[in-house]
Amino acid sequence: MFGVIARDQSRAVMDTMSTDPAFWDAYWSHRPAYDRGDVTAAEYWRLVGWPPMVEQDVASWTEVDDEMVALLGSLHSAGRRLALLSNIPEDHARNFERLYPWLDLFEVRAFSCRIGHAKPSAEAFEWCRERLGDGEVLFVDDRVENVRAAEQAGMRGHHFTGIEGLRAVL
């Protein structure tokens, strides 16, 4: 979702959280466990070593690309099956579900915190494949390592760099 449908983390909000590189090193090094749901928000922030900033963290990730949301709506209206695989902690997932009804367009919604697997692990793609069944799947992501992992799982992959490139592939 992030980097494709949702915008990357807001620099302005990030700067209110911290400008200390040590903070961001800890933030990212412990993020995979938080995204997978292996640790709670309280445990994650304890590992980071800073006071909990759940609200700021959630706020830093909430901006979406309206043009991409419109494309999702068009694909759904045309009868295309849509699935979402996103590395996202539970607090963020609940916030997105509260804010964005377009999530209901996805027949399969695989939030890493709820499936216990995060991209680029093969298990995350296998979880989705089991729910989607046989057939061709186009996996779209802004990270090359995730696209390659999807391809290894038998999906077609598209490295997202912008909506026009995606439209051409579709």
Side-chain angles (χ1 to χ4, degrees):
M1 179 163 50
F2 301 101
V4 178
I5 303 165
R7 305 257 187 222
D8 288 331
Q9 195 171 22
S10 163
R11 172 54 55 195
V13 179
M14 290 170 70
D15 288 345
T16 68
M17 293 169 70
S18 181
T19 56
D20 184 341
F23 168 85
W24 292 106
D25 287 345
Y27 177 97
W28 289 113
S29 69
H30 298 289
R31 197 65 179 210
Y34 187 34
D35 283 346
R36 281 190 310 270
D38 296 344
V39 298
T40 65
E43 293 166 326
Y44 168 72
W45 287 103
R46 192 169 29 261
L47 290 168
V48 171
W50 256 259
M53 294 185 235
V54 176
E55 288 182 27
Q56 296 107 307
D57 191 32
V58 168
S60 73
W61 291 100
T62 58
E63 192 175 333
V64 300
D65 182 332
D66 293 330
E67 191 175 5
M68 280 299 301
V69 171
L71 177 59
L72 291 172
S74 296
L75 292 169
H76 183 265
S77 294
R80 294 279 181 93
R81 295 176 68 201
L82 301 175
L84 178 69
L85 172 58
S86 183
N87 291 354
I88 186 171
E90 184 62 37
D91 301 306
H92 296 253
R94 281 194 311 266
N95 185 61
F96 262 80
E97 288 170 330
R98 182 179 57 78
L99 291 176
Y100 299 117
W102 50 260
L103 283 170
D104 291 337
L105 298 173
F106 293 100
E107 178 180 330
V108 174
R109 193 182 312 163
F111 288 150
S112 59
C113 61
R114 296 182 183 160
I115 68 171
H117 307 290
K119 300 175 292 185
S121 80
E123 294 86 0
F125 296 99
E126 290 165 9
W127 190 96
C128 290
R129 175 55 89 182
E130 287 174 11
R131 277 130 192 99
L132 290 169
D134 292 332
E136 189 174 358
V137 174
L138 174 63
F139 176 79
V140 178
D141 202 286
D142 66 323
R143 295 176 160 252
V144 172
E145 64 269 23
N146 293 338
V147 172
R148 297 296 169 254
E151 291 170 342
Q152 290 175 347
M155 300 175 182
R156 284 184 51 218
H158 173 70
H159 178 220
F160 182 85
T161 57
I163 195 167
E164 293 311 316
L166 178 57
R167 286 184 200 278
V169 167
L170 292 170

